[in-house]
Amino acid sequence: MTMTRPDSDAIRALQGLADRRPSVRLRAALAVGTAPDPRFVDKLVERCAIEPEFFVRDMLTWALTRHPLSLTLPGLFREVRSERAQARSQALHTLSKIGDRQAWPAITRALLSDADDEVARSAWRAAVVLVPEGEESALATVLATQLGRGERGTQLSLSQALVALGEVIVPALRVATTVPDPRVRAHALATQRLLRDPDAGFESAIEEAKRVAALTGAPRTDDENRADR
C-alpha cells in the first residue's frame, strides 16, 4: 500500500537516488521500496536507465515492484522502446520481476532479437515468465531464431530460456539441428541435451554438440550433389 511521508523526506530520498556515492543510492532505493510513494515511480524508472551499478539497479527494480502496476507499467512500457539499451534491458528485467502477464504485449519480436545482447537476454527471460498459456510454442519458434548468437553467456541465457518452456521447444530445436550454420546446429543440440538433463553443464554440452554438429547436418557440396544424379 502507498504510504505518505513529509515532503522533506521525499526530497531527501530523491536526492539520494542521484547521489554520486553508490552506497547512498542503494540506501535511497531501499528506503523508497520500504515506504512506497507514487511520487517516486517516474524517478525510479528514469534512474534505472542510467544507474551504472548492478546492485543499485536491482534495488531500483525491487522498489518499483513495491508500487501499484497502474503506476509502474506505463513508464516501463515506454522504456522498452527507448533508444538507450540499458533502459530497455532494465525495464524488461523489472517486468520479469513484476511477473504480471498483462505486460506480455510489451515483449515484441524486435526486443527478442534486439541487436544488444543484454537487451535480448532480458527479453528472453521476461518472455518465458510472461508468456500466456497456449503461446509457448510460438515463443519457442521465435527464440529458436536466435540460436548460435553471441558468446557463451548469451547462448547459455537463450538455452535456459528455451528449456524453461519445456517440451514445446522440441520441434523448433529439431528444425534448428538441420540448418547449414554449425553454430546454430551446435547450440540447438546443446539445448536439447539440457532439456533432457537439466543438470548437465552447458560448457560440456556445447563442446559435445560442436563435435556432433561438425559431423552431421553440413550442407552438401556441388560435387556431391552431381554425383547423385
Side-chain angles (χ1 to χ4, degrees):
M1 295 181 58
T2 299
M3 297 176 63
T4 60
R5 63 178 71 187
D7 285 345
S8 59
D9 289 346
I11 292 171
R12 187 158 51 249
L14 285 173
Q15 291 173 336
L17 290 175
D19 195 276
R20 63 180 180 80
R21 294 163 293 179
S23 60
V24 175
R25 300 196 302 274
L26 185 67
R27 289 196 298 272
L30 174 62
V32 173
T34 301
D37 186 320
R39 292 174 292 180
F40 288 106
V41 172
D42 287 343
K43 290 299 181 181
L44 289 170
V45 172
E46 291 170 8
R47 187 66 205 178
C48 282
I50 59 174
E51 172 55 51
E53 298 294 331
F54 169 80
F55 292 110
V56 179
R57 289 199 303 273
D58 225 31
M59 189 65 75
L60 291 167
T61 282
W62 173 78
L64 281 166
T65 67
R66 299 271 294 156
H67 289 79
L69 290 175
S70 60
L71 298 178
T72 57
L73 290 187
L76 294 172
F77 289 169
R78 181 181 64 249
E79 290 296 279
V80 299
R81 299 189 298 271
S82 171
E83 293 184 359
R84 186 189 293 270
Q86 182 175 304
R88 299 196 302 277
S89 178
Q90 196 65 24
L92 288 163
H93 174 66
T94 304
L95 289 174
S96 73
K97 293 300 183 182
I98 291 173
D100 192 290
R101 285 180 170 174
Q102 67 179 291
W104 171 245
I107 312 300
T108 63
R109 185 163 188 152
L111 288 169
L112 293 170
S113 59
D114 198 282
D116 186 280
D117 284 347
E118 287 304 315
V119 175
R121 291 169 70 170
S122 294
W124 302 336
R125 289 190 289 266
V128 299
V129 170
L130 301 174
V131 61
E133 185 175 353
E135 296 192 34
E136 295 91 347
S137 182
L139 174 59
T141 299
V142 175
L143 292 181
T145 66
Q146 302 302 298
L147 288 165
R149 167 181 177 163
E151 302 301 325
R152 291 294 169 83
T154 299
Q155 293 189 5
L156 174 59
S157 289
L158 180 57
S159 291
Q160 290 173 330
L162 282 163
V163 169
L165 293 174
E167 292 294 326
V168 298
I169 70 173
V170 170
L173 292 180
R174 186 180 300 121
V175 171
T177 62
T178 67
V179 303
D181 190 336
R183 282 176 58 88
V184 175
R185 294 201 307 275
H187 195 181
L189 288 165
T191 306
Q192 283 180 333
R193 181 178 176 188
L194 290 177
L195 179 63
R196 294 191 303 267
D197 180 10
D199 294 326
F202 184 73
E203 284 297 324
S204 61
I206 197 70
E207 289 302 323
E208 177 184 334
K210 284 168 63 177
R211 289 192 292 272
V212 173
L215 297 172
T216 63
R220 293 164 65 86
T221 66
D222 290 340
D223 288 342
E224 290 172 328
N225 288 330
R226 283 194 293 270
D228 288 341
R229 293 173 186 166

